[in-house]
Amino acid sequence: MIPAPVTIAIHTFGRNAREDLIADVRAGLTATPKTLPPRWLYDERGSELFEAITQLPEYYLTRTEAEILRRAATEVIAAVAPEALVELGSGSARKTRMLIEAARGGRLGFFVPFDISERTLQQTARSIAADFPGLSVYAMVGDFAEHLDRVPHYGRQLVVFLGSTIGNFDAAERRFFLDHVRALLRPGDAFLLGIDLVKDEAELLAAYDDAEGVTADFNRNLLRVLNRELAADFDPAAFDHVARFDRDRSRIEMYLRSRWRQRVRLPGARLTIEFDPGELLMTEISVKFTRASVEQALGESGLPLTRWYPDAKERFALCLCMPRGGSGSR
Ligand code: SAH
Ligand code: AVI
């Protein structure tokens, strides 16, 4: 059933984040190599650290996407004429304001931000509702891997996924996500996707290993989340932040590297683990695309690349997909 629109509604689906965390930790920290999904990076502090990353001189992604949106927002809104704007992984939704502004005076009546971080979502929902009084905001606390089919349909919609967050998925997660996005679209709806493009390795590495150490702090914050939620005894200072570029897989890989041999207890997950000196724990991937590679990924899910908006230096791009048929017609 579609919930009645109110100025702000926050829906959480009764998620039990703690059980999900325990399952991820038990699977990921007993695997070889050790790995954890990036969703746990975004507690309140992690979300603040990500916002700080977006302001760093080395982190060109957010600035470049904003520059593209400044130029393209009016054209995108005119092409779609949305009644509802759905933003997946909305975070602070700062750049999204350009799309809402461009839709002023049009038919846009609903903003649906969807994010795993409830705190961030509450702040975003309140500030957008305050700044755009004509807009009903229906905020959804959810996980891309579980709750996309709960997104309501309030009329012709533009679904946006900005910031290159699609890069944080592996191939199977990306396919799952894009298939579900395609299923959200009815005739006339559209999907706008922000992707980071392949470029010089030094520039990529600097963006994920900044001089001030904010990204290192963001990465180590994962250990603080485990200490708080699972009464674990990680010493964040016993791990180095590592960013590598794997050119064959076209992705940045972010790790925490154990400085020495150590044993860590996680009583909340009924687990004790050992790290060898130099052992890596993978915390995130960030895939970098070409126009051809993103067009193929989109096409496999029935999402045609209708318009392509790169910045002048081709560092980042927005992809507008406007399928012609109805939901599921490929
Ligand atoms: N779109 C914003 C924020 C990008 S940061 C921008 O372009 O700046 C990535 C966002 O995705 C964060 O707000 C984080 O809380 C959210 N996120 C991460 N994993 C998620 C998941 N599995 N399900 C839903 N949201 C998730
Ligand atoms: C949210 N996501 C797109 C960021 C990225 O660039 O992959 C997360 C991030 N990790 C380190 N810095 C920023």
Side-chain angles (χ1 to χ4, degrees):
M1 202 180 72
I2 296 181
V6 292
T7 303
I8 302 185
I10 308 233
H11 201 95
T12 62
F13 310 114
R15 268 183 83 237
N16 192 333
R18 200 183 142 74
E19 275 176 21
D20 292 348
L21 175 63
I22 291 171
D24 283 349
V25 161
R26 289 185 65 84
L29 294 187
T30 56
T32 311
K34 292 183 174 62
T35 172
L36 281 174
R39 62 169 78 85
W40 304 110
L41 291 164
Y42 297 93
D43 69 337
E44 192 177 352
R45 182 164 180 189
S47 300
E48 283 167 13
L49 285 167
F50 175 73
E51 279 302 303
I53 287 174
T54 66
Q55 313 286 326
L56 292 170
E58 296 94 333
Y59 197 77
Y60 59 86
L61 290 83
T62 311
R63 259 191 318 279
T64 311
E65 188 175 41
E67 177 193 319
I68 300 170
L69 272 170
R70 218 165 286 129
R71 191 169 37 81
T74 308
E75 189 178 307
V76 169
I77 293 295
V80 184
E83 293 161 306
L85 180 62
V86 174
E87 179 165 26
L88 305 175
S90 50
S92 68
R94 201 163 291 154
K95 286 165 291 177
T96 318
R97 287 167 173 268
M98 283 188 256
L99 290 164
I100 302 175
E101 293 279 358
R104 262 193 214 269
R107 305 185 315 160
L108 187 68
F110 301 93
F111 177 53
V112 184
F114 175 110
D115 203 286
I116 203 158
S117 168
E118 181 166 358
R119 197 58 188 267
T120 308
L121 201 56
Q122 297 217 6
Q123 285 166 3
T124 298
R126 276 201 212 98
S127 95
I128 297 271
D131 292 347
F132 300 94
L135 206 59
S136 292
V137 179
Y138 174 66
M140 303 175 70
V141 183
D143 191 321
F144 305 137
E146 274 185 77
H147 304 114
L148 285 181
D149 54 354
R150 313 277 189 98
V151 173
H153 198 273
Y154 288 128
R156 180 187 288 236
Q157 70 186 9
L158 173 61
V159 177
V160 305
F161 193 40
L162 302 179
S164 156
T165 305
I166 194 159
N168 301 135
F169 300 151
D170 66 22
E173 291 166 334
R174 182 167 66 231
R175 179 66 196 261
F176 175 93
F177 176 86
L178 291 175
D179 283 352
H180 280 76
V181 167
R182 180 66 186 87
L184 290 177
L185 304 184
R186 298 188 190 170
D189 292 350
F191 177 49
L192 184 68
L193 174 69
I195 52 156
D196 195 18
L197 297 173
V198 176
K199 58 183 65 63
D200 174 59
E201 184 164 332
E203 199 179 351
L204 280 170
L205 285 173
Y208 290 85
D209 195 5
D210 62 280
E212 239 186 276
V214 183
T215 309
D217 203 12
F218 173 70
N219 195 8
R220 287 196 192 95
N221 185 54
L222 184 61
L223 304 179
R224 287 185 215 108
V225 170
L226 300 182
N227 285 351
R228 185 185 64 235
E229 298 299 326
L230 302 174
D233 59 0
F234 278 102
D235 172 9
F239 290 84
D240 290 319
H241 165 71
V242 176
R244 292 182 179 165
F245 183 57
D246 181 333
R247 191 162 285 282
D248 292 338
R249 297 166 108 166
S250 196
R251 67 188 203 185
I252 287 282
E253 296 173 350
M254 200 165 83
Y255 298 95
L256 290 164
R257 184 174 55 213
S258 179
R259 290 198 173 161
W260 42 73
R261 186 176 306 286
Q262 49 184 318
R263 172 173 297 167
V264 180
R265 287 158 212 83
L266 300 96
R270 300 179 308 284
L271 194 67
T272 298
I273 50 168
E274 315 269 347
F275 283 89
D276 288 332
E279 186 176 346
L280 296 172
L281 160 59
M282 185 189 257
T283 52
E284 187 184 66
I285 59 166
S286 197
V287 176
K288 308 302 164 189
F289 293 89
T290 60
R291 180 175 177 158
S293 67
V294 74
E295 191 160 14
Q296 174 164 353
L298 290 165
E300 284 168 3
S301 294
L303 292 160
L305 178 56
T306 313
R307 294 188 193 178
W308 170 252
Y309 299 101
D311 64 297
K313 292 186 183 155
E314 305 213 347
R315 295 165 128 192
F316 199 97
L318 286 178
C319 308
L320 180 65
C321 304
M322 302 179 73
R324 269 192 263 129
S327 170
S329 67
R330 304 222 166 137

